[in-house]
Amino acid sequence: MKYLLILFAWLILLPAVQSQELFQRPSHDYVWTFGNFEFNVRLDFNTSPPTLSLVDTPINFAASNTSICNSDGELQLYTNGFRVLNGQQQFLQNGYRINEQYDYPEDWLETGHRYTQGIISIPAPGDIDNNYYLFYTEPIYYTNSDGGTEVNAHNIYLAEASFSENPQGTIVDEDFLLISDTLNAGQITACRHGNGRDWWVLVPNMHEGVYNRFLISDQGVEEYNVLTTEENYPRGIGTTIFSPDGTHYVVYSAEFLPEKTYVMFYDFDRCTGELTSPIIHEHELESIVNGLAISENSRFVYHSAGSNLYQYDLQSEDIPDSRTLVDSWDGYYNGDNPDFFWATFGLSQLGPDGKIYIATPSSGLQYHIIHNPNKGGTASNFEQRGLPFTQWNFRSIPNLPYYGLGPWDDSPCDTLGIDNPVPEARYEHTQDSSALQIEFFDASHYAYEWSWDFGDGSELDTVQHPVHTFAEEGTYQVCLQVSNVTGQDVYCENVYVGVVNTNTPLRQEAKIRTFPNPVGTGPLTFEVELPEGNSASNLSLRLYNVQGQQIVGQALNPTGPVWRTKVDMARWPRGVYLYELIGDGGVLGSGRVVK
């Protein structure tokens, strides 16, 4: 009955959905390339789990690395900051060498730009499948007055990669000088503007409290400003990151003398591009190569600091005090040299699957994985060496913005007529069979309002991440309803409080994934992962339009614990579609997809 009520709600929303231009998450970050020596490693998120393969290419990677796909997840280009190749391992026309201002050794050109986040790629607003921008700095190494080697940069450059006329791709306007100043070493990152189309690009200056900000629109680099903030901390090697919801900007900076680490937390305004309310956390330096990543629900910051992985809670009243140790290095190292090939924790990146991947600071044969970063503390499920591969990688992981961020609906800069799609309701929770208090973590997409029904007769809770205490042990159906200007969605799950679940039906434990969602003209894949110990003789899919008419009915094929099927969506018009997955015991799950 509940499913029928949700379906009726979709029918009511039909006219609004049809009349709006809905934001669709592009798959620009679905293929990663990294590694060095004879081959590169390619990590493809168009499958679940992502597929690893080796690619014979003429370039290697150091700290700087970026790539970009078209909106359907097909690799368009990747670069190490000097060489630019397309998805077929061909150099783009004029792509054999960018960043030509400095006479680098030849091995540097093959290995790549050595700044952390020294380059980033973003799609050109208004033409996201044909033109892409590359922002980069030039690495300059010099000997200081103490005889040591220091690194900084003096220029920010822009190159444009175009595929509109040449399928192989062409670099145009390479090394276009944007600004000349004393910059920090790399740390380039980007965030989508609140209008849902344009981009902000931020680059720290070497001067304390100074940032270079660019606004990228369909007219190109439309605006440049220098931001001066209130904080005062030394600049050094580090990383920067925006939260997936665009409300925070976080900076890590390492100072060699007196060996201090600074983690800075800012509020960010996606309309104005302003940084405000700086909070600084100073502590002892643990490792030069560090990483920052933020959970997809934008609550938890993960700081990988060599031998330790820490978590900060952005919703805490005292963010520095919220720092929690998630895990410490278990002592594993690669190869025969325990003094160098440590499998500790370095640069990190949020994947399109919602997991966080962490590279090793030295040469390694694996990424570490945070499987559930939306949860607090050790519940985030960190796995050391969770993604092994057979090709060496030297500290590299792609520098990518978060592409799942849509417009800031009803904000002053919401001026382009773009609305977020109907939200996707999901949540995660801690589970302790002896505890009556359960912590819930919102994992929804495109939601602005939350309403929790804990199934125990208590009042509804409207906070995003509630902590709820149940009066007594039992099984409760906890439902989360989320909404935005476009519509609403409901997700329900049985939560076992103080009792052990010994007979869980398939419906409660099956993991259902649809991708890409939103889908373009290509196939839509459905995957169902059965829990360990459960089995089914058949699974089938039913797909409905919003009028309730069944348009697809087909079986899923088992491949081990995962059942799959693909639906050709090319013949169906754009809009919202509902699905049911049917098993031996009836409906196992339901949801919706957007084309």
Side-chain angles (χ1 to χ4, degrees):
M1 182 65 182
K2 179 175 290 184
Y3 176 73
L4 293 178
L5 290 175
I6 296 173
L7 176 61
F8 180 70
W10 280 105
L11 296 178
I12 294 174
L13 289 170
L14 177 61
V17 171
Q18 287 183 331
S19 63
Q20 295 169 345
E21 180 184 351
L22 296 183
F23 172 82
Q24 295 189 25
R25 188 207 193 281
S27 302
H28 293 309
D29 54 348
Y30 268 46
V31 180
W32 298 4
T33 300
F34 51 91
N36 51 20
F37 301 113
E38 295 181 5
F39 296 92
N40 291 158
V41 181
R42 185 153 295 174
L43 184 59
D44 190 337
F45 290 92
N46 287 287
T47 64
S48 178
T51 302
L52 279 169
S53 60
L54 295 182
V55 181
D56 187 2
T57 71
I59 68 170
N60 296 315
F61 291 91
S64 288
N65 178 350
T66 192
S67 60
I68 196 164
C69 301
N70 62 21
S71 58
D72 290 327
E74 300 168 334
L75 182 62
Q76 293 287 77
L77 67 83
Y78 61 100
T79 176
N80 62 7
F82 295 126
R83 316 287 202 206
V84 187
L85 285 84
N86 62 24
Q88 289 73 48
Q89 289 68 252
Q90 303 168 318
F91 286 106
L92 275 67
Q93 184 177 344
N94 304 324
Y96 184 72
R97 172 73 190 274
I98 61 173
N99 224 331
E100 294 190 274
Q101 305 70 235
Y102 198 76
D103 186 20
Y104 304 108
E106 186 65 25
D107 62 328
W108 284 29
L109 302 179
E110 295 179 0
T111 303
H113 194 312
R114 301 189 177 190
Y115 281 6
T116 300
Q117 297 179 302
I119 189 167
I120 197 170
S121 54
I122 60 172
D127 195 8
I128 63 174
D129 285 329
N130 292 302
N131 289 283
Y132 309 95
Y133 293 119
L134 297 171
F135 290 81
Y136 49 96
T137 59
E138 91 280 41
I140 296 178
Y141 290 72
Y142 65 94
T143 302
N144 60 27
S145 59
D146 297 325
T149 300
E150 294 192 12
V151 183
N152 63 22
H154 295 291
N155 301 307
I156 300 176
Y157 296 97
L158 173 70
E160 182 179 353
S162 175
F163 291 82
S164 57
E165 297 182 1
N166 179 8
Q168 182 176 332
T170 302
I171 296 292
V172 296
D173 294 330
E174 70 270 22
D175 298 342
F176 181 83
L177 180 62
L178 291 174
I179 62 168
S180 182
D181 201 345
T182 304
L183 309 171
N184 216 16
Q187 302 181 34
I188 307 172
T189 191
C191 178
R192 195 185 300 277
H193 189 278
N195 63 20
R197 182 198 65 187
D198 301 339
W199 288 88
W200 296 106
V201 174
L202 236 60
V203 186
N205 201 294
M206 275 297 287
H207 306 298
E208 297 174 5
V210 179
Y211 293 86
N212 301 282
R213 182 188 67 199
F214 303 91
L215 174 61
I216 318 304
S217 73
D218 59 351
Q219 303 301 310
V221 180
E222 182 174 303
E223 179 183 312
Y224 164 68
N225 300 101
V226 175
L227 299 180
T228 302
T229 60
E230 299 173 357
E231 104 289 343
N232 181 19
Y233 73 97
R235 295 295 172 90
I237 292 176
T239 52
T240 61
I241 190 72
F242 284 102
S243 60
D245 66 1
T247 62
H248 288 89
Y249 176 73
V250 185
V251 181
Y252 155 77
S253 183
E255 185 185 17
F256 296 105
L257 293 173
E259 295 190 348
K260 291 288 186 180
T261 290
Y262 305 88
V263 182
M264 287 292 309
F265 306 89
Y266 294 93
D267 291 340
F268 182 68
D269 189 317
R270 294 171 58 203
C271 285
T272 64
E274 294 295 322
L275 296 172
T276 56
S277 307
I279 299 172
I280 187 169
H281 184 207
E282 175 185 330
H283 52 89
E284 296 299 317
L285 177 68
E286 298 183 39
S287 174
I288 297 173
V289 180
N290 284 235
L292 289 175
I294 302 181
S295 59
E296 198 166 27
N297 65 2
S298 296
R299 177 170 178 179
F300 297 111
V301 177
Y302 292 88
H303 177 208
S304 47
S307 296
N308 293 311
L309 175 65
Y310 298 102
Q311 181 191 79
Y312 293 90
D313 187 349
L314 289 174
Q315 293 197 354
S316 171
E317 294 183 359
D318 187 339
I319 295 176
D321 189 58
S322 74
R323 188 174 80 152
T324 300
L325 178 65
V326 175
D327 201 2
S328 296
W329 176 47
D330 61 9
Y332 183 91
Y333 61 90
N334 294 282
D336 299 324
N337 188 347
D339 295 325
F340 183 69
F341 298 115
W342 328 284
T344 51
F345 318 139
L347 301 177
S348 53
Q349 176 66 45
L350 175 66
D353 58 356
K355 299 182 180 183
I356 291 174
Y357 295 82
I358 302 175
T360 57
S362 62
S363 291
L365 293 166
Q366 60 278 124
Y367 279 166
H368 311 291
I369 303 179
I370 306 174
H371 290 280
N372 302 102
N374 288 331
K375 293 185 177 183
T378 58
S380 59
N381 189 14
F382 175 59
E383 182 183 8
Q384 299 191 39
R385 303 177 303 282
L387 183 67
F389 32 83
T390 59
Q391 178 64 40
W392 288 97
N393 178 54
F394 179 60
R395 128 181 356 161
S396 182
I397 201 165
N399 180 28
L400 306 169
Y402 180 70
Y403 289 107
L405 181 59
W408 185 2
D409 288 333
D410 292 333
S411 68
C413 58
D414 183 16
T415 59
L416 300 181
I418 304 172
D419 285 326
N420 283 298
V422 174
E424 304 170 12
R426 288 292 183 273
Y427 68 80
E428 302 176 45
H429 65 282
T430 57
Q431 188 67 64
D432 185 340
S433 60
S434 63
L436 296 179
Q437 187 179 81
I438 304 293
E439 189 169 7
F440 293 88
F441 303 94
D442 172 54
S444 305
H445 293 120
Y446 309 113
Y448 288 161
E449 295 181 347
W450 299 264
S451 178
W452 296 83
D453 183 345
F454 298 105
D456 59 355
S458 61
E459 293 185 359
L460 299 179
D461 199 332
T462 57
V463 301
Q464 185 178 4
H465 307 285
V467 178
H468 186 73
T469 301
F470 293 86
E472 56 185 9
E473 298 177 347
T475 302
Y476 299 89
Q477 186 180 61
V478 178
C479 294
L480 169 63
Q481 177 177 296
V482 296
S483 59
N484 62 18
V485 296
T486 308
Q488 63 182 23
D489 190 24
V490 177
Y491 175 74
C492 299
E493 182 179 324
N494 278 0
V495 174
Y496 301 89
V497 180
V499 297
V500 177
N501 174 26
T502 59
N503 187 26
T504 302
L506 177 61
R507 181 171 182 169
Q508 299 300 331
E509 296 292 338
K511 297 180 180 179
I512 302 171
R513 184 169 183 253
T514 61
F515 62 91
N517 186 12
V519 64
T521 58
L524 174 65
T525 299
F526 287 81
E527 289 187 346
V528 179
E529 183 178 350
L530 303 182
E532 185 176 354
N534 276 1
S535 62
S537 59
N538 64 82
L539 293 177
S540 62
L541 166 74
R542 296 175 184 171
L543 190 66
Y544 304 87
N545 59 25
V546 289
Q547 286 81 22
Q549 300 167 326
Q550 181 177 327
I551 60 173
V552 172
Q554 62 191 55
L556 279 73
N557 300 313
T559 55
V562 178
W563 294 61
R564 293 186 177 90
T565 191
K566 291 187 177 182
V567 177
D568 182 8
M569 298 296 292
R571 54 181 170 162
W572 306 114
R574 294 181 62 181
V576 178
Y577 296 86
L578 310 174
Y579 68 83
E580 288 181 324
L581 289 166
I582 311 297
D584 300 331
V587 178
L588 307 179
S590 59
R592 55 101 182 102
V593 294
V594 178
K595 178 180 177 182

